[in-house]
Amino acid sequence: AQSVTQLGSHVSVSEGALVLLRCNYSSSVPPYLFWYVQYPNQGLQLLLKYTTGATLVKGINGFEAEFKKSETSFHLTKPSAHMSDAAEYFCAVSAVNTGFQKLVFGTGTRLLVSP
Amino acid sequence: NAGVTQTPKFRVLKTGQSMTLLCAQDMNHEYMYWYRQDPGMGLRLIHYSVGEGTTAKGEVPDGYNVSRLKKQNFLLGLESAAPSQTSVYFCASNQGFQETQYFGPGTRLLVL
C-alpha cells in the first residue's frame, strides 16, 4: 500500500524567500511521485512528476523537486516565492505496478505568501 | 478543447434525495476517476474506470454508484444522499499509466 505524509498544513513565507514544502512517501514498490497545485475554487493542476530517470525534476512556475529514495522524500522547492504562488499544494504517490494511475494524495499544504 | 468539465458546479440536497454528477472529457482519454475532497484529508478516490463500459471501486465507494456508458462521460450517482457526503467532488482523466491526470473544476455538494 502507498501513503503520503505532508509535514505542515500551513507554510508561510515572505515574497522572495525560499519555498520548501515537505513530502515523504511510503511505497512497497517503485513509486511515481507528483506535486499538484490547487488555486482557490479551482481543480488540481500538475506542477511536476517523477516517474523514472533523473531524480531532480523541474516543473512549471519555477518549482522543482528531488526524489530521494534513501529518505523516501520528494520535497518541493522554489528559490524565490511570488505572491501568485499562494495556493494549496498536494503531494501524491502512485504505484508502478497497479496497471493504471491510482493516486494516493497527502493532506495538502497551504502556502501563504506575505509582501 | 474544454478539457474536463463537471456539471453542476454547486448543488444543495436534502438528506435522502438523489442526484447525478456528470463528468465529460474531450481528450479521448481511456481512464477516468472520481475523487472527493474534504478539509484536512486531501483527495480520496471514490470510483474509477479504465475504459468505456468498465468501472471499479476506489478507496471510499460506499454510497456512490458510477457508470461509463460513453468513453467521454463518467457519471457519479448518489442514490440517497447523506450529510456525510457533503464534499467537493473532482473528476479527472488520463490516457495512460504514466500520463498526467487532468482535473475538472469540481462540484461543491451540500447535503442538509
PDB file of all heavy atoms in Angstrom, chain A residues 32 36 38 41 43-44 46 49 90 95-96 98-101 103 105-107, chain B residues 31 33 35 37 40 42-43 48 90 94 97-101 103-105 108:
ATOM      1  N   TYR A  32       5.723   6.309  -8.468  1.00  0.00           N
ATOM      2  CA  TYR A  32       5.687   7.525  -9.256  1.00  0.00           C
ATOM      3  C   TYR A  32       5.229   8.619  -8.295  1.00  0.00           C
ATOM      4  O   TYR A  32       4.326   8.383  -7.476  1.00  0.00           O
ATOM      5  CB  TYR A  32       4.694   7.431 -10.413  1.00  0.00           C
ATOM      6  CG  TYR A  32       5.117   6.520 -11.542  1.00  0.00           C
ATOM      7  CD1 TYR A  32       6.303   5.805 -11.515  1.00  0.00           C
ATOM      8  CD2 TYR A  32       4.296   6.364 -12.661  1.00  0.00           C
ATOM      9  CE1 TYR A  32       6.668   4.966 -12.556  1.00  0.00           C
ATOM     10  CE2 TYR A  32       4.647   5.537 -13.708  1.00  0.00           C
ATOM     11  CZ  TYR A  32       5.844   4.839 -13.643  1.00  0.00           C
ATOM     12  OH  TYR A  32       6.191   4.008 -14.684  1.00  0.00           O
ATOM     13  N   TYR A  36       0.841  18.497  -7.131  1.00  0.00           N
ATOM     14  CA  TYR A  36      -0.246  19.243  -7.749  1.00  0.00           C
ATOM     15  C   TYR A  36      -0.466  20.537  -6.971  1.00  0.00           C
ATOM     16  O   TYR A  36      -0.249  20.593  -5.756  1.00  0.00           O
ATOM     17  CB  TYR A  36      -1.547  18.438  -7.719  1.00  0.00           C
ATOM     18  CG  TYR A  36      -1.682  17.383  -8.786  1.00  0.00           C
ATOM     19  CD1 TYR A  36      -1.171  16.104  -8.585  1.00  0.00           C
ATOM     20  CD2 TYR A  36      -2.338  17.661  -9.971  1.00  0.00           C
ATOM     21  CE1 TYR A  36      -1.312  15.131  -9.570  1.00  0.00           C
ATOM     22  CE2 TYR A  36      -2.489  16.695 -10.958  1.00  0.00           C
ATOM     23  CZ  TYR A  36      -1.967  15.436 -10.744  1.00  0.00           C
ATOM     24  OH  TYR A  36      -2.114  14.471 -11.713  1.00  0.00           O
ATOM     25  N   GLN A  38      -3.435  23.619  -6.218  1.00  0.00           N
ATOM     26  CA  GLN A  38      -4.847  23.967  -6.312  1.00  0.00           C
ATOM     27  C   GLN A  38      -5.037  25.411  -5.899  1.00  0.00           C
ATOM     28  O   GLN A  38      -4.806  25.762  -4.734  1.00  0.00           O
ATOM     29  CB  GLN A  38      -5.696  23.047  -5.429  1.00  0.00           C
ATOM     30  CG  GLN A  38      -7.184  23.297  -5.558  1.00  0.00           C
ATOM     31  CD  GLN A  38      -8.011  22.380  -4.682  1.00  0.00           C
ATOM     32  OE1 GLN A  38      -7.578  21.957  -3.607  1.00  0.00           O
ATOM     33  NE2 GLN A  38      -9.205  22.047  -5.133  1.00  0.00           N
ATOM     34  N   ASN A  41     -10.988  27.617  -5.364  1.00  0.00           N
ATOM     35  CA  ASN A  41     -12.167  27.300  -6.173  1.00  0.00           C
ATOM     36  C   ASN A  41     -11.820  26.764  -7.560  1.00  0.00           C
ATOM     37  O   ASN A  41     -12.587  26.970  -8.518  1.00  0.00           O
ATOM     38  CB  ASN A  41     -13.068  28.537  -6.299  1.00  0.00           C
ATOM     39  CG  ASN A  41     -13.549  29.019  -4.954  1.00  0.00           C
ATOM     40  OD1 ASN A  41     -13.999  28.224  -4.124  1.00  0.00           O
ATOM     41  ND2 ASN A  41     -13.438  30.306  -4.702  1.00  0.00           N
ATOM     42  N   GLY A  43      -9.785  23.329  -9.825  1.00  0.00           N
ATOM     43  CA  GLY A  43      -9.314  21.952  -9.768  1.00  0.00           C
ATOM     44  C   GLY A  43      -7.814  21.899  -9.582  1.00  0.00           C
ATOM     45  O   GLY A  43      -7.146  22.918  -9.429  1.00  0.00           O
ATOM     46  N   LEU A  44      -7.283  20.687  -9.573  1.00  0.00           N
ATOM     47  CA  LEU A  44      -5.848  20.497  -9.373  1.00  0.00           C
ATOM     48  C   LEU A  44      -5.112  20.582 -10.698  1.00  0.00           C
ATOM     49  O   LEU A  44      -5.587  20.099 -11.727  1.00  0.00           O
ATOM     50  CB  LEU A  44      -5.579  19.123  -8.729  1.00  0.00           C
ATOM     51  CG  LEU A  44      -5.708  19.058  -7.219  1.00  0.00           C
ATOM     52  CD1 LEU A  44      -7.159  19.194  -6.797  1.00  0.00           C
ATOM     53  CD2 LEU A  44      -5.123  17.754  -6.696  1.00  0.00           C
ATOM     54  N   LEU A  46      -1.200  19.886 -12.420  1.00  0.00           N
ATOM     55  CA  LEU A  46       0.083  19.241 -12.197  1.00  0.00           C
ATOM     56  C   LEU A  46       1.214  20.256 -12.232  1.00  0.00           C
ATOM     57  O   LEU A  46       1.347  21.028 -13.175  1.00  0.00           O
ATOM     58  CB  LEU A  46       0.329  18.171 -13.262  1.00  0.00           C
ATOM     59  CG  LEU A  46       1.630  17.404 -13.096  1.00  0.00           C
ATOM     60  CD1 LEU A  46       1.513  16.443 -11.903  1.00  0.00           C
ATOM     61  CD2 LEU A  46       1.979  16.623 -14.368  1.00  0.00           C
ATOM     62  N   LYS A  49       6.234  15.897 -11.993  1.00  0.00           N
ATOM     63  CA  LYS A  49       6.116  14.484 -11.639  1.00  0.00           C
ATOM     64  C   LYS A  49       7.451  13.784 -11.830  1.00  0.00           C
ATOM     65  O   LYS A  49       8.273  14.186 -12.658  1.00  0.00           O
ATOM     66  CB  LYS A  49       5.044  13.803 -12.482  1.00  0.00           C
ATOM     67  CG  LYS A  49       5.350  13.746 -13.967  1.00  0.00           C
ATOM     68  CD  LYS A  49       4.215  13.059 -14.734  1.00  0.00           C
ATOM     69  CE  LYS A  49       4.511  13.022 -16.227  1.00  0.00           C
ATOM     70  NZ  LYS A  49       3.380  12.411 -17.001  1.00  0.00           N
ATOM     71  N   PHE A  90      -0.484  19.696  -3.125  1.00  0.00           N
ATOM     72  CA  PHE A  90      -0.696  18.297  -2.769  1.00  0.00           C
ATOM     73  C   PHE A  90       0.407  17.436  -3.370  1.00  0.00           C
ATOM     74  O   PHE A  90       0.696  17.527  -4.566  1.00  0.00           O
ATOM     75  CB  PHE A  90      -2.041  17.794  -3.293  1.00  0.00           C
ATOM     76  CG  PHE A  90      -3.226  18.414  -2.618  1.00  0.00           C
ATOM     77  CD1 PHE A  90      -3.833  19.541  -3.146  1.00  0.00           C
ATOM     78  CD2 PHE A  90      -3.738  17.870  -1.447  1.00  0.00           C
ATOM     79  CE1 PHE A  90      -4.931  20.121  -2.524  1.00  0.00           C
ATOM     80  CE2 PHE A  90      -4.832  18.440  -0.816  1.00  0.00           C
ATOM     81  CZ  PHE A  90      -5.426  19.569  -1.360  1.00  0.00           C
ATOM     82  N   ALA A  95       1.585   3.733  -7.426  1.00  0.00           N
ATOM     83  CA  ALA A  95       2.410   2.538  -7.517  1.00  0.00           C
ATOM     84  C   ALA A  95       2.651   2.180  -8.965  1.00  0.00           C
ATOM     85  O   ALA A  95       1.758   2.270  -9.809  1.00  0.00           O
ATOM     86  CB  ALA A  95       1.724   1.384  -6.796  1.00  0.00           C
ATOM     87  N   VAL A  96       3.859   1.730  -9.246  1.00  0.00           N
ATOM     88  CA  VAL A  96       4.240   1.428 -10.619  1.00  0.00           C
ATOM     89  C   VAL A  96       3.491   0.237 -11.176  1.00  0.00           C
ATOM     90  O   VAL A  96       3.198   0.163 -12.355  1.00  0.00           O
ATOM     91  CB  VAL A  96       5.760   1.169 -10.690  1.00  0.00           C
ATOM     92  CG1 VAL A  96       6.157   0.682 -12.065  1.00  0.00           C
ATOM     93  CG2 VAL A  96       6.517   2.431 -10.323  1.00  0.00           C
ATOM     94  N   THR A  98       0.375  -1.057 -10.639  1.00  0.00           N
ATOM     95  CA  THR A  98      -1.074  -1.216 -10.496  1.00  0.00           C
ATOM     96  C   THR A  98      -1.795  -1.270 -11.838  1.00  0.00           C
ATOM     97  O   THR A  98      -2.955  -1.569 -11.893  1.00  0.00           O
ATOM     98  CB  THR A  98      -1.678  -0.062  -9.682  1.00  0.00           C
ATOM     99  OG1 THR A  98      -1.383   1.175 -10.340  1.00  0.00           O
ATOM    100  CG2 THR A  98      -1.116  -0.041  -8.285  1.00  0.00           C
ATOM    101  N   GLY A  99      -1.122  -0.961 -12.917  1.00  0.00           N
ATOM    102  CA  GLY A  99      -1.753  -1.050 -14.228  1.00  0.00           C
ATOM    103  C   GLY A  99      -2.509   0.194 -14.630  1.00  0.00           C
ATOM    104  O   GLY A  99      -2.920   0.327 -15.772  1.00  0.00           O
ATOM    105  N   PHE A 100      -2.749   1.073 -13.702  1.00  0.00           N
ATOM    106  CA  PHE A 100      -3.331   2.364 -14.036  1.00  0.00           C
ATOM    107  C   PHE A 100      -2.851   3.322 -12.950  1.00  0.00           C
ATOM    108  O   PHE A 100      -2.241   2.924 -11.973  1.00  0.00           O
ATOM    109  CB  PHE A 100      -4.859   2.311 -14.100  1.00  0.00           C
ATOM    110  CG  PHE A 100      -5.521   2.293 -12.749  1.00  0.00           C
ATOM    111  CD1 PHE A 100      -6.132   3.421 -12.235  1.00  0.00           C
ATOM    112  CD2 PHE A 100      -5.519   1.144 -11.978  1.00  0.00           C
ATOM    113  CE1 PHE A 100      -6.736   3.402 -10.988  1.00  0.00           C
ATOM    114  CE2 PHE A 100      -6.116   1.121 -10.735  1.00  0.00           C
ATOM    115  CZ  PHE A 100      -6.724   2.249 -10.236  1.00  0.00           C
ATOM    116  N   GLN A 101      -3.156   4.576 -13.118  1.00  0.00           N
ATOM    117  CA  GLN A 101      -2.572   5.573 -12.225  1.00  0.00           C
ATOM    118  C   GLN A 101      -3.485   5.816 -11.020  1.00  0.00           C
ATOM    119  O   GLN A 101      -4.297   6.718 -11.027  1.00  0.00           O
ATOM    120  CB  GLN A 101      -2.321   6.870 -12.967  1.00  0.00           C
ATOM    121  CG  GLN A 101      -1.380   7.811 -12.216  1.00  0.00           C
ATOM    122  CD  GLN A 101      -1.181   9.088 -12.997  1.00  0.00           C
ATOM    123  OE1 GLN A 101      -1.948  10.036 -12.858  1.00  0.00           O
ATOM    124  NE2 GLN A 101      -0.154   9.121 -13.820  1.00  0.00           N
ATOM    125  N   LEU A 103      -3.771   7.347  -7.777  1.00  0.00           N
ATOM    126  CA  LEU A 103      -3.082   8.349  -6.977  1.00  0.00           C
ATOM    127  C   LEU A 103      -3.549   8.304  -5.527  1.00  0.00           C
ATOM    128  O   LEU A 103      -4.741   8.247  -5.250  1.00  0.00           O
ATOM    129  CB  LEU A 103      -3.348   9.748  -7.533  1.00  0.00           C
ATOM    130  CG  LEU A 103      -2.711  10.097  -8.877  1.00  0.00           C
ATOM    131  CD1 LEU A 103      -3.138  11.484  -9.327  1.00  0.00           C
ATOM    132  CD2 LEU A 103      -1.201  10.016  -8.787  1.00  0.00           C
ATOM    133  N   PHE A 105      -3.151  10.727  -2.300  1.00  0.00           N
ATOM    134  CA  PHE A 105      -2.762  12.105  -2.017  1.00  0.00           C
ATOM    135  C   PHE A 105      -2.411  12.298  -0.548  1.00  0.00           C
ATOM    136  O   PHE A 105      -2.954  11.641   0.338  1.00  0.00           O
ATOM    137  CB  PHE A 105      -3.915  13.062  -2.353  1.00  0.00           C
ATOM    138  CG  PHE A 105      -4.118  13.272  -3.821  1.00  0.00           C
ATOM    139  CD1 PHE A 105      -4.925  12.423  -4.551  1.00  0.00           C
ATOM    140  CD2 PHE A 105      -3.518  14.341  -4.460  1.00  0.00           C
ATOM    141  CE1 PHE A 105      -5.126  12.619  -5.912  1.00  0.00           C
ATOM    142  CE2 PHE A 105      -3.714  14.556  -5.827  1.00  0.00           C
ATOM    143  CZ  PHE A 105      -4.515  13.682  -6.543  1.00  0.00           C
ATOM    144  N   GLY A 106      -1.517  13.251  -0.317  1.00  0.00           N
ATOM    145  CA  GLY A 106      -1.314  13.748   1.030  1.00  0.00           C
ATOM    146  C   GLY A 106      -2.444  14.694   1.399  1.00  0.00           C
ATOM    147  O   GLY A 106      -3.329  14.990   0.586  1.00  0.00           O
ATOM    148  N   THR A 107      -2.394  15.190   2.626  1.00  0.00           N
ATOM    149  CA  THR A 107      -3.481  16.033   3.123  1.00  0.00           C
ATOM    150  C   THR A 107      -3.348  17.485   2.694  1.00  0.00           C
ATOM    151  O   THR A 107      -4.227  18.282   2.963  1.00  0.00           O
ATOM    152  CB  THR A 107      -3.552  15.963   4.654  1.00  0.00           C
ATOM    153  OG1 THR A 107      -2.264  16.270   5.188  1.00  0.00           O
ATOM    154  CG2 THR A 107      -3.975  14.567   5.106  1.00  0.00           C
TER     155      THR A 107
ATOM    156  N   TYR B  31      -8.913   6.500 -19.215  1.00  0.00           N
ATOM    157  CA  TYR B  31      -9.139   6.370 -17.789  1.00  0.00           C
ATOM    158  C   TYR B  31      -9.844   7.601 -17.234  1.00  0.00           C
ATOM    159  O   TYR B  31      -9.507   8.733 -17.577  1.00  0.00           O
ATOM    160  CB  TYR B  31      -7.797   6.208 -17.050  1.00  0.00           C
ATOM    161  CG  TYR B  31      -6.955   5.075 -17.569  1.00  0.00           C
ATOM    162  CD1 TYR B  31      -5.848   5.311 -18.377  1.00  0.00           C
ATOM    163  CD2 TYR B  31      -7.264   3.759 -17.233  1.00  0.00           C
ATOM    164  CE1 TYR B  31      -5.074   4.270 -18.856  1.00  0.00           C
ATOM    165  CE2 TYR B  31      -6.494   2.718 -17.711  1.00  0.00           C
ATOM    166  CZ  TYR B  31      -5.401   2.972 -18.518  1.00  0.00           C
ATOM    167  OH  TYR B  31      -4.645   1.936 -18.979  1.00  0.00           O
ATOM    168  N   TYR B  33     -11.730   9.149 -13.383  1.00  0.00           N
ATOM    169  CA  TYR B  33     -11.699   8.974 -11.931  1.00  0.00           C
ATOM    170  C   TYR B  33     -12.659   9.962 -11.272  1.00  0.00           C
ATOM    171  O   TYR B  33     -12.838  11.079 -11.753  1.00  0.00           O
ATOM    172  CB  TYR B  33     -10.293   9.271 -11.381  1.00  0.00           C
ATOM    173  CG  TYR B  33      -9.151   8.626 -12.126  1.00  0.00           C
ATOM    174  CD1 TYR B  33      -8.673   9.168 -13.320  1.00  0.00           C
ATOM    175  CD2 TYR B  33      -8.536   7.477 -11.627  1.00  0.00           C
ATOM    176  CE1 TYR B  33      -7.622   8.588 -13.997  1.00  0.00           C
ATOM    177  CE2 TYR B  33      -7.482   6.887 -12.298  1.00  0.00           C
ATOM    178  CZ  TYR B  33      -7.024   7.447 -13.482  1.00  0.00           C
ATOM    179  OH  TYR B  33      -5.973   6.867 -14.149  1.00  0.00           O
ATOM    180  N   TYR B  35     -13.049  11.689  -7.417  1.00  0.00           N
ATOM    181  CA  TYR B  35     -12.471  11.897  -6.100  1.00  0.00           C
ATOM    182  C   TYR B  35     -13.416  12.776  -5.283  1.00  0.00           C
ATOM    183  O   TYR B  35     -14.185  13.554  -5.823  1.00  0.00           O
ATOM    184  CB  TYR B  35     -11.141  12.648  -6.193  1.00  0.00           C
ATOM    185  CG  TYR B  35     -10.028  11.948  -6.910  1.00  0.00           C
ATOM    186  CD1 TYR B  35      -9.845  12.091  -8.281  1.00  0.00           C
ATOM    187  CD2 TYR B  35      -9.120  11.162  -6.199  1.00  0.00           C
ATOM    188  CE1 TYR B  35      -8.798  11.469  -8.940  1.00  0.00           C
ATOM    189  CE2 TYR B  35      -8.064  10.534  -6.857  1.00  0.00           C
ATOM    190  CZ  TYR B  35      -7.909  10.698  -8.223  1.00  0.00           C
ATOM    191  OH  TYR B  35      -6.866  10.081  -8.864  1.00  0.00           O
ATOM    192  N   GLN B  37     -12.993  15.605  -2.004  1.00  0.00           N
ATOM    193  CA  GLN B  37     -12.022  16.362  -1.234  1.00  0.00           C
ATOM    194  C   GLN B  37     -12.684  16.921   0.007  1.00  0.00           C
ATOM    195  O   GLN B  37     -13.667  17.662  -0.083  1.00  0.00           O
ATOM    196  CB  GLN B  37     -11.440  17.517  -2.055  1.00  0.00           C
ATOM    197  CG  GLN B  37     -10.366  18.304  -1.320  1.00  0.00           C
ATOM    198  CD  GLN B  37      -9.818  19.459  -2.131  1.00  0.00           C
ATOM    199  OE1 GLN B  37     -10.493  20.044  -2.963  1.00  0.00           O
ATOM    200  NE2 GLN B  37      -8.552  19.796  -1.903  1.00  0.00           N
ATOM    201  N   GLY B  40      -8.650  18.842   5.349  1.00  0.00           N
ATOM    202  CA  GLY B  40      -7.668  18.107   6.128  1.00  0.00           C
ATOM    203  C   GLY B  40      -7.461  16.664   5.711  1.00  0.00           C
ATOM    204  O   GLY B  40      -6.733  15.930   6.384  1.00  0.00           O
ATOM    205  N   GLY B  42      -7.164  15.729   2.101  1.00  0.00           N
ATOM    206  CA  GLY B  42      -6.706  15.565   0.726  1.00  0.00           C
ATOM    207  C   GLY B  42      -7.810  15.019  -0.161  1.00  0.00           C
ATOM    208  O   GLY B  42      -8.999  15.127   0.150  1.00  0.00           O
ATOM    209  N   LEU B  43      -7.441  14.423  -1.260  1.00  0.00           N
ATOM    210  CA  LEU B  43      -8.395  13.821  -2.184  1.00  0.00           C
ATOM    211  C   LEU B  43      -8.395  12.312  -2.005  1.00  0.00           C
ATOM    212  O   LEU B  43      -7.332  11.699  -1.880  1.00  0.00           O
ATOM    213  CB  LEU B  43      -8.035  14.140  -3.637  1.00  0.00           C
ATOM    214  CG  LEU B  43      -8.464  15.493  -4.169  1.00  0.00           C
ATOM    215  CD1 LEU B  43      -7.574  16.591  -3.636  1.00  0.00           C
ATOM    216  CD2 LEU B  43      -8.450  15.490  -5.701  1.00  0.00           C
ATOM    217  N   TYR B  48     -13.342   4.508 -10.229  1.00  0.00           N
ATOM    218  CA  TYR B  48     -12.594   4.831 -11.421  1.00  0.00           C
ATOM    219  C   TYR B  48     -13.025   3.913 -12.566  1.00  0.00           C
ATOM    220  O   TYR B  48     -13.748   2.926 -12.352  1.00  0.00           O
ATOM    221  CB  TYR B  48     -11.083   4.731 -11.189  1.00  0.00           C
ATOM    222  CG  TYR B  48     -10.580   3.351 -10.834  1.00  0.00           C
ATOM    223  CD1 TYR B  48     -10.087   2.490 -11.818  1.00  0.00           C
ATOM    224  CD2 TYR B  48     -10.588   2.904  -9.524  1.00  0.00           C
ATOM    225  CE1 TYR B  48      -9.623   1.237 -11.497  1.00  0.00           C
ATOM    226  CE2 TYR B  48     -10.126   1.645  -9.189  1.00  0.00           C
ATOM    227  CZ  TYR B  48      -9.637   0.821 -10.170  1.00  0.00           C
ATOM    228  OH  TYR B  48      -9.180  -0.437  -9.846  1.00  0.00           O
ATOM    229  N   PHE B  90     -14.305  15.949  -7.422  1.00  0.00           N
ATOM    230  CA  PHE B  90     -13.484  16.225  -8.597  1.00  0.00           C
ATOM    231  C   PHE B  90     -13.457  15.004  -9.498  1.00  0.00           C
ATOM    232  O   PHE B  90     -13.318  13.869  -9.041  1.00  0.00           O
ATOM    233  CB  PHE B  90     -12.049  16.576  -8.195  1.00  0.00           C
ATOM    234  CG  PHE B  90     -11.916  17.927  -7.576  1.00  0.00           C
ATOM    235  CD1 PHE B  90     -11.835  18.068  -6.206  1.00  0.00           C
ATOM    236  CD2 PHE B  90     -11.870  19.059  -8.369  1.00  0.00           C
ATOM    237  CE1 PHE B  90     -11.711  19.317  -5.622  1.00  0.00           C
ATOM    238  CE2 PHE B  90     -11.745  20.321  -7.799  1.00  0.00           C
ATOM    239  CZ  PHE B  90     -11.672  20.437  -6.425  1.00  0.00           C
ATOM    240  N   ASN B  94      -7.084  10.536 -17.658  1.00  0.00           N
ATOM    241  CA  ASN B  94      -5.777  10.470 -18.304  1.00  0.00           C
ATOM    242  C   ASN B  94      -5.773   9.350 -19.333  1.00  0.00           C
ATOM    243  O   ASN B  94      -6.675   8.512 -19.382  1.00  0.00           O
ATOM    244  CB  ASN B  94      -4.627  10.341 -17.305  1.00  0.00           C
ATOM    245  CG  ASN B  94      -4.614   9.020 -16.554  1.00  0.00           C
ATOM    246  OD1 ASN B  94      -5.579   8.269 -16.580  1.00  0.00           O
ATOM    247  ND2 ASN B  94      -3.515   8.750 -15.875  1.00  0.00           N
ATOM    248  N   PHE B  97      -0.828   5.025 -18.179  1.00  0.00           N
ATOM    249  CA  PHE B  97      -0.329   4.832 -16.834  1.00  0.00           C
ATOM    250  C   PHE B  97       0.606   5.937 -16.365  1.00  0.00           C
ATOM    251  O   PHE B  97       0.546   6.371 -15.223  1.00  0.00           O
ATOM    252  CB  PHE B  97       0.396   3.488 -16.766  1.00  0.00           C
ATOM    253  CG  PHE B  97       0.840   3.144 -15.393  1.00  0.00           C
ATOM    254  CD1 PHE B  97      -0.083   2.732 -14.463  1.00  0.00           C
ATOM    255  CD2 PHE B  97       2.160   3.259 -15.011  1.00  0.00           C
ATOM    256  CE1 PHE B  97       0.297   2.416 -13.169  1.00  0.00           C
ATOM    257  CE2 PHE B  97       2.549   2.946 -13.721  1.00  0.00           C
ATOM    258  CZ  PHE B  97       1.627   2.523 -12.802  1.00  0.00           C
ATOM    259  N   GLN B  98       1.473   6.404 -17.227  1.00  0.00           N
ATOM    260  CA  GLN B  98       2.423   7.440 -16.830  1.00  0.00           C
ATOM    261  C   GLN B  98       1.925   8.839 -17.153  1.00  0.00           C
ATOM    262  O   GLN B  98       2.616   9.815 -16.907  1.00  0.00           O
ATOM    263  CB  GLN B  98       3.762   7.220 -17.523  1.00  0.00           C
ATOM    264  CG  GLN B  98       4.472   5.949 -17.122  1.00  0.00           C
ATOM    265  CD  GLN B  98       5.886   5.898 -17.676  1.00  0.00           C
ATOM    266  OE1 GLN B  98       6.525   6.921 -17.846  1.00  0.00           O
ATOM    267  NE2 GLN B  98       6.367   4.709 -17.981  1.00  0.00           N
ATOM    268  N   GLU B  99       0.750   8.918 -17.704  1.00  0.00           N
ATOM    269  CA  GLU B  99       0.271  10.212 -18.178  1.00  0.00           C
ATOM    270  C   GLU B  99      -0.368  11.025 -17.067  1.00  0.00           C
ATOM    271  O   GLU B  99      -0.938  10.497 -16.107  1.00  0.00           O
ATOM    272  CB  GLU B  99      -0.740  10.012 -19.311  1.00  0.00           C
ATOM    273  CG  GLU B  99      -0.188   9.242 -20.500  1.00  0.00           C
ATOM    274  CD  GLU B  99       1.052   9.895 -21.066  1.00  0.00           C
ATOM    275  OE1 GLU B  99       1.039  11.132 -21.235  1.00  0.00           O
ATOM    276  OE2 GLU B  99       2.033   9.177 -21.324  1.00  0.00           O
ATOM    277  N   THR B 100      -0.297  12.310 -17.222  1.00  0.00           N
ATOM    278  CA  THR B 100      -0.851  13.248 -16.250  1.00  0.00           C
ATOM    279  C   THR B 100      -2.365  13.117 -16.151  1.00  0.00           C
ATOM    280  O   THR B 100      -3.050  12.974 -17.160  1.00  0.00           O
ATOM    281  CB  THR B 100      -0.506  14.678 -16.677  1.00  0.00           C
ATOM    282  OG1 THR B 100       0.909  14.830 -16.699  1.00  0.00           O
ATOM    283  CG2 THR B 100      -1.115  15.708 -15.725  1.00  0.00           C
ATOM    284  N   GLN B 101      -2.865  13.156 -14.921  1.00  0.00           N
ATOM    285  CA  GLN B 101      -4.306  13.234 -14.725  1.00  0.00           C
ATOM    286  C   GLN B 101      -4.727  14.696 -14.822  1.00  0.00           C
ATOM    287  O   GLN B 101      -4.146  15.559 -14.159  1.00  0.00           O
ATOM    288  CB  GLN B 101      -4.712  12.671 -13.351  1.00  0.00           C
ATOM    289  CG  GLN B 101      -4.715  11.159 -13.311  1.00  0.00           C
ATOM    290  CD  GLN B 101      -5.364  10.611 -12.056  1.00  0.00           C
ATOM    291  OE1 GLN B 101      -6.251  11.226 -11.459  1.00  0.00           O
ATOM    292  NE2 GLN B 101      -4.921   9.434 -11.649  1.00  0.00           N
ATOM    293  N   PHE B 103      -7.684  17.395 -14.156  1.00  0.00           N
ATOM    294  CA  PHE B 103      -8.813  17.522 -13.248  1.00  0.00           C
ATOM    295  C   PHE B 103      -9.830  18.539 -13.753  1.00  0.00           C
ATOM    296  O   PHE B 103      -9.475  19.553 -14.359  1.00  0.00           O
ATOM    297  CB  PHE B 103      -8.329  17.955 -11.865  1.00  0.00           C
ATOM    298  CG  PHE B 103      -7.704  16.847 -11.078  1.00  0.00           C
ATOM    299  CD1 PHE B 103      -6.413  16.435 -11.331  1.00  0.00           C
ATOM    300  CD2 PHE B 103      -8.427  16.198 -10.087  1.00  0.00           C
ATOM    301  CE1 PHE B 103      -5.835  15.394 -10.612  1.00  0.00           C
ATOM    302  CE2 PHE B 103      -7.870  15.152  -9.364  1.00  0.00           C
ATOM    303  CZ  PHE B 103      -6.574  14.750  -9.624  1.00  0.00           C
ATOM    304  N   GLY B 104     -11.085  18.263 -13.444  1.00  0.00           N
ATOM    305  CA  GLY B 104     -12.141  19.222 -13.671  1.00  0.00           C
ATOM    306  C   GLY B 104     -12.162  20.277 -12.580  1.00  0.00           C
ATOM    307  O   GLY B 104     -11.416  20.177 -11.606  1.00  0.00           O
ATOM    308  N   PRO B 105     -13.045  21.270 -12.695  1.00  0.00           N
ATOM    309  CA  PRO B 105     -13.097  22.375 -11.744  1.00  0.00           C
ATOM    310  C   PRO B 105     -13.792  22.030 -10.436  1.00  0.00           C
ATOM    311  O   PRO B 105     -13.729  22.815  -9.487  1.00  0.00           O
ATOM    312  CB  PRO B 105     -13.874  23.451 -12.496  1.00  0.00           C
ATOM    313  CG  PRO B 105     -14.731  22.679 -13.437  1.00  0.00           C
ATOM    314  CD  PRO B 105     -13.938  21.473 -13.839  1.00  0.00           C
ATOM    315  N   ARG B 108     -19.295  21.359  -5.914  1.00  0.00           N
ATOM    316  CA  ARG B 108     -19.460  21.523  -4.460  1.00  0.00           C
ATOM    317  C   ARG B 108     -20.859  21.056  -4.086  1.00  0.00           C
ATOM    318  O   ARG B 108     -21.856  21.571  -4.589  1.00  0.00           O
ATOM    319  CB  ARG B 108     -19.257  22.982  -4.081  1.00  0.00           C
ATOM    320  CG  ARG B 108     -19.109  23.242  -2.597  1.00  0.00           C
ATOM    321  CD  ARG B 108     -18.721  24.698  -2.345  1.00  0.00           C
ATOM    322  NE  ARG B 108     -17.419  25.003  -2.915  1.00  0.00           N
ATOM    323  CZ  ARG B 108     -16.274  24.838  -2.288  1.00  0.00           C
ATOM    324  NH1 ARG B 108     -16.249  24.370  -1.047  1.00  0.00           N
ATOM    325  NH2 ARG B 108     -15.132  25.158  -2.868  1.00  0.00           N
TER     326      ARG B 108
END
